[in-house]
Amino acid sequence: MFRLTSLSASIVALTQIANVAGHGGVLLYEIGSTWYNGFVPYNTPVGQSTIQREWDSYNPITDPTDAQLSCNIDGANLGSGQLSATVAAGTQVTAFWNQWPHTIGPVMVYMASCGGSCTSANTADLNWFKIEQAGLISGALPTGTWAMGELVANNNSWTTNIPSSLAPGEYFIRHELLAIHTANQPQFYPECAQLIVTGSGTATPSSEYLVKLPGAYSMSDPGVNIDIYNEPTVTNYTIPGPAVWPGN
Ligand SMILES: *[C@@H]1O[C@H](CO)[C@@H](O)[C@H](O)[C@H]1NC(C)=O
Ligand SMILES: *[C@@H]1O[C@H](CO)[C@@H](O)[C@H](O)[C@H]1NC(C)=O
Ligand SMILES: [Cu+2]
């Protein structure tokens, strides 16, 4: 009886380790030439000092309307110890995933103005706009090259520029991977970091580019609820959410 119980406990523990090993997230940023640590999930938030909004799990968000969709945690969970990276508009931002096992699906990068301090912002209330997206680069849905595969091939990293025309202020930058290797079961993996954008830009996105998260996606989007294996010759993929803001 004792042995059986401890064996069961070991299986539970191994399963948890396997879950943790199965996915990953953004744990590091290079902004300009400065490196910033992200939040370390599975560690206590106490004492963590990071530009990233707290998030607590490597597991996917599987519902496009999940309340945690904005920054991988309830939008009203403000975390603690938040710092911001000061960055000139136009600067290059590279996000590094600690590990990434999936290669099928789009990569999207959003920003949102906090209209003041990002540290006190409910991220579900913000107006998000896309600054970059990439989906199916070449080939057909199940066999082609995806942006996510390029991310994996590129040291699990993705590089984006802050739009050079963007008006200064406090913003979140949000990196999101949408893994679609499981038929009709999307997996969203977002992480957010706080920026203080500087410069002389004056541009801000108009309402057609602004969305709430959750709010922008649904299971009726062709790129969200998709069975890529059922469409082996299709060579187009519709990335969900708004159009990319073109700047000014
Ligand atoms: C690859 O990523 C790691 C972080 O995961 C980083 O420390 C390292 O500098 C990167 N290598 C290159 C060549 O960018
Ligand atoms: C491919 O394009 C067709 C025609 O516009 C569209 O109906 C379909 O939803 C697209 N497929 C995907 C996977 O986005
Ligand atoms: Cu995964």
Side-chain angles (χ1 to χ4, degrees):
M1 193 57 167
F2 171 73
R3 298 180 91 191
L4 191 62
T5 305
S6 71
L7 181 62
S8 307
S10 302
I11 289 169
V12 169
L14 280 173
T15 306
Q16 282 166 351
I17 289 164
N19 272 336
V20 170
H23 320 277
V26 178
L27 264 69
L28 190 64
Y29 299 86
E30 186 180 15
I31 301 178
S33 52
T34 308
W35 292 80
Y36 297 90
N37 288 318
F39 188 85
V40 183
Y42 302 99
N43 284 13
T44 175
V46 177
Q48 291 202 42
S49 211
T50 164
I51 63 168
Q52 208 175 42
R53 181 58 70 92
E54 178 180 339
W55 55 291
D56 294 330
S57 169
Y58 288 158
N59 291 335
I61 294 169
T62 56
D63 176 349
T65 65
D66 193 294
Q68 303 200 1
L69 188 71
S70 54
C71 294
N72 207 352
I73 195 161
D74 188 278
N77 185 327
L78 303 181
S80 60
Q82 250 63 51
L83 306 174
S84 298
T86 298
V87 50
T91 299
Q92 186 171 292
V93 175
T94 302
F96 293 87
W97 283 254
N98 59 325
Q99 56 188 358
W100 201 253
H102 307 301
T103 57
I104 298 177
V107 177
M108 296 174 269
V109 186
Y110 287 79
M111 291 181 75
S113 168
C114 296
S117 160
C118 286
T119 299
S120 56
N122 181 333
T123 56
D125 290 341
L126 299 178
N127 294 315
W128 295 93
F129 57 97
K130 260 187 200 151
I131 60 168
E132 193 187 12
Q133 65 181 3
L136 183 60
I137 309 286
S138 63
L141 291 177
T143 52
T145 298
W146 289 85
M148 199 181 294
E150 297 203 326
L151 179 152
V152 170
N154 196 20
N155 191 25
N156 296 331
S157 73
W158 193 264
T159 297
T160 315
N161 282 65
I162 305 296
S164 54
S165 62
L166 186 64
E170 296 201 36
Y171 291 86
F172 274 105
I173 187 167
R174 173 181 182 273
H175 291 84
E176 178 177 43
L177 306 185
L178 168 52
I180 52 170
H181 55 280
T182 304
N184 305 114
Q185 182 52 81
Q187 302 184 0
F188 301 89
Y189 300 90
E191 276 89 38
C192 302
Q194 294 184 194
L195 305 178
I196 298 174
V197 175
T198 62
S200 54
T202 55
T204 52
S206 55
S207 59
E208 67 188 294
Y209 295 104
L210 300 173
V211 296
K212 302 287 189 204
L213 296 165
Y217 307 152
S218 91
M219 276 307 264
S220 48
D221 294 340
V224 169
N225 187 9
I226 182 170
D227 178 355
I228 57 167
Y229 310 103
N230 197 35
E231 303 184 76
T233 60
V234 170
T235 54
N236 67 295
Y237 171 77
T238 310
I239 301 172
V244 173
W245 179 53
N248 59 0

